[in-house]
Amino acid sequence: MRPIFLLQLIFAGFMCCTSIFYFLDHLGYEYFVKVNPGNFVSNEQTYLIAKCQRICLLAHIGLVWGMLYYSSLKKTKIKYIFQQKQSDLYWLRIALFFYITAIGFQFLPGLLQFSIYFNNMAIFSASLLLLKGLRTKKTLWIVYGTTMFGLNFINATLTGFKEHIIVNVIILFALLFPYYKRAITLVSIPTIYVLLYILPTYASIVRQSWSGEKTAVEARSEALETIFQEDNEEIIDNTNWGFLTNRFSEIGMFTQYVDYVPAHHDFYKTEIIHNALIALIPRQFYPNKPITEQVAMERVYDAGVISRLSSVSAKTRPVVDAYLSFGYVGTFVFLFLFGCCVQFFNDTAERWFGGYEFGCIVMFNGCFQGLWRGNNLEFMLNNMLYGFITMIIVFRVLLWAGYVTKKSNLYNQTSESY
């Protein structure tokens, strides 16, 4: 669950490896079967795809280098350890605290963002309790972890978002893998394959409930019925291929940005960074602050990625914003700094919250799950700032309650190897 493994895996898989589907479609293939007759002739789009792949590779190098660079720094820090006896109720109190706090923030104007962080921490706490229960054979932990994780998964199936379901599967497999390597390896590959095959069709049908024509439960039942009917195989194939080439892989949109900048629009330089800094100001202090979503979508419209008349949200990714700002140099520098930041957040979480299990699994991933795949710079900086503030608040509460206490010690990276 540490950044060097999970975040890098998601970044490399999403930004780099998924482009193979778009490229196969460009070559005239569908599911590795050539559907367009004749010999392929490279064109301008071919070179744009290759250029975008090189930019993604450069970004990947910068990201990993940033993580490893920060990890290599020798840091003398004060560590903290849990003092309370780790009884069944001890961990349950923390998990329930996150869950209740998440519900409470939903009713406080302007603080919904903190509710999302606490809800994520509640989910990760439940997943961790499930893992700890399986390892220690403690029934109470297994029941709570299974119940909360199961309810969250069921809720994810009603949202119409593919990512919510995939994230739950990733969490479960990533937690169990260190202890059940062989079993998880054998189960994870076919599971991910099946999900990628059925989720596009499933999600498109569930989204019918958004218009109010059907309830989410009714739409889910129809989606499951469609998937399991053999005569709908062609529909699933077509929907899935469209997802793999245009949504799962966003390199198609990336080529449009690269074609637009700098040929038709100069590099944005500090404009995107400026917008991101403005977005950090709470609206209570800046009532006329521009709506962040609208500001971020302007460069999407300008590049012609989608029409202004469309209701689709197609925000940029960190690699795209980095390139649009300063080109190749910006791509490497931005992702290097991003790697340093995520490693700093993870190391700080582990140092404040007693190590890997609670620090990394619950706190880091709970507060910074939005950084797994990345978003545009406006939303990413916002996540970094307010996620870190959330982590500070939880740390201070646990320190005040006596759950954690100082342990002055030399920060020994070798004892927490990556």
Side-chain angles (χ1 to χ4, degrees), residues 217-279:
V217 175
E218 290 173 343
R220 181 179 62 183
S221 299
E222 182 180 336
L224 292 173
E225 183 178 346
T226 301
I227 289 170
F228 288 110
Q229 285 181 352
E230 294 183 5
D231 54 353
N232 290 325
E233 185 176 350
E234 185 177 351
I235 298 176
I236 297 174
D237 286 345
N238 293 336
T239 304
N240 186 52
W241 185 245
F243 164 71
L244 291 175
T245 54
N246 294 309
R247 293 299 299 161
F248 189 46
S249 169
E250 296 187 0
I251 197 167
M253 291 188 290
F254 195 5
T255 60
Q256 292 178 268
Y257 290 113
V258 172
D259 185 46
Y260 180 64
V261 175
H264 306 286
H265 186 289
D266 290 335
F267 288 110
Y268 285 77
K269 297 183 179 178
T270 59
E271 180 181 336
I272 299 176
I273 298 174
H274 177 264
N275 293 340
L277 293 175
I278 292 295

Side-chain angles (χ1 to χ4, degrees), residues 179-380:
Y179 306 98
Y180 309 98
K181 291 185 175 64
R182 182 181 178 84
I184 295 302
T185 301
L186 293 175
V187 172
S188 62
I189 296 176
T191 300
I192 296 297
Y193 175 81
V194 171
L195 286 176
L196 292 179
Y197 181 72
I198 66 173
L199 279 182
T201 302
Y202 177 88
S204 65
I205 297 175
V206 172
R207 289 179 183 183
Q208 295 176 2
S209 64
W210 294 358
S211 62
E213 297 177 2
K214 299 178 181 179
T215 66
V217 175
E218 290 173 343
R220 181 179 62 183
S221 299
E222 182 180 336
L224 292 173
E225 183 178 346
T226 301
I227 289 170
F228 288 110
Q229 285 181 352
E230 294 183 5
D231 54 353
N232 290 325
E233 185 176 350
E234 185 177 351
I235 298 176
I236 297 174
D237 286 345
N238 293 336
T239 304
N240 186 52
W241 185 245
F243 164 71
L244 291 175
T245 54
N246 294 309
R247 293 299 299 161
F248 189 46
S249 169
E250 296 187 0
I251 197 167
M253 291 188 290
F254 195 5
T255 60
Q256 292 178 268
Y257 290 113
V258 172
D259 185 46
Y260 180 64
V261 175
H264 306 286
H265 186 289
D266 290 335
F267 288 110
Y268 285 77
K269 297 183 179 178
T270 59
E271 180 181 336
I272 299 176
I273 298 174
H274 177 264
N275 293 340
L277 293 175
I278 292 295
L280 296 178
I281 304 174
R283 193 166 295 277
Q284 286 83 350
F285 303 119
Y286 186 8
N288 296 323
K289 184 179 76 170
I291 298 175
T292 305
E293 175 80 14
Q294 295 178 357
V295 172
M297 287 297 293
E298 277 303 311
R299 53 187 178 274
V300 182
Y301 298 139
D302 291 344
V305 175
I306 62 171
S307 169
R308 291 182 182 273
L309 300 177
S310 173
S311 59
V312 176
S313 177
K315 295 184 289 296
T316 52
R317 296 296 167 187
V319 178
V320 178
D321 276 351
Y323 173 81
L324 292 179
S325 297
F326 296 103
Y328 286 103
V329 175
T331 300
F332 179 80
V333 172
F334 179 81
L335 269 296
F336 175 82
L337 295 176
F338 178 54
C340 290
C341 287
V342 294
Q343 195 62 52
F344 162 75
F345 293 138
N346 178 79
D347 289 359
T348 303
E350 292 194 28
R351 184 166 52 84
W352 285 357
F353 298 99
Y356 168 75
E357 277 197 343
F358 193 79
C360 173
I361 294 176
V362 177
M363 296 307 304
F364 169 74
N365 289 293
C367 292
F368 303 102
Q369 184 183 318
L371 303 182
W372 281 5
R373 190 175 65 160
N375 207 326
N376 58 44
L377 189 58
E378 290 91 341
F379 286 100
M380 282 183 60

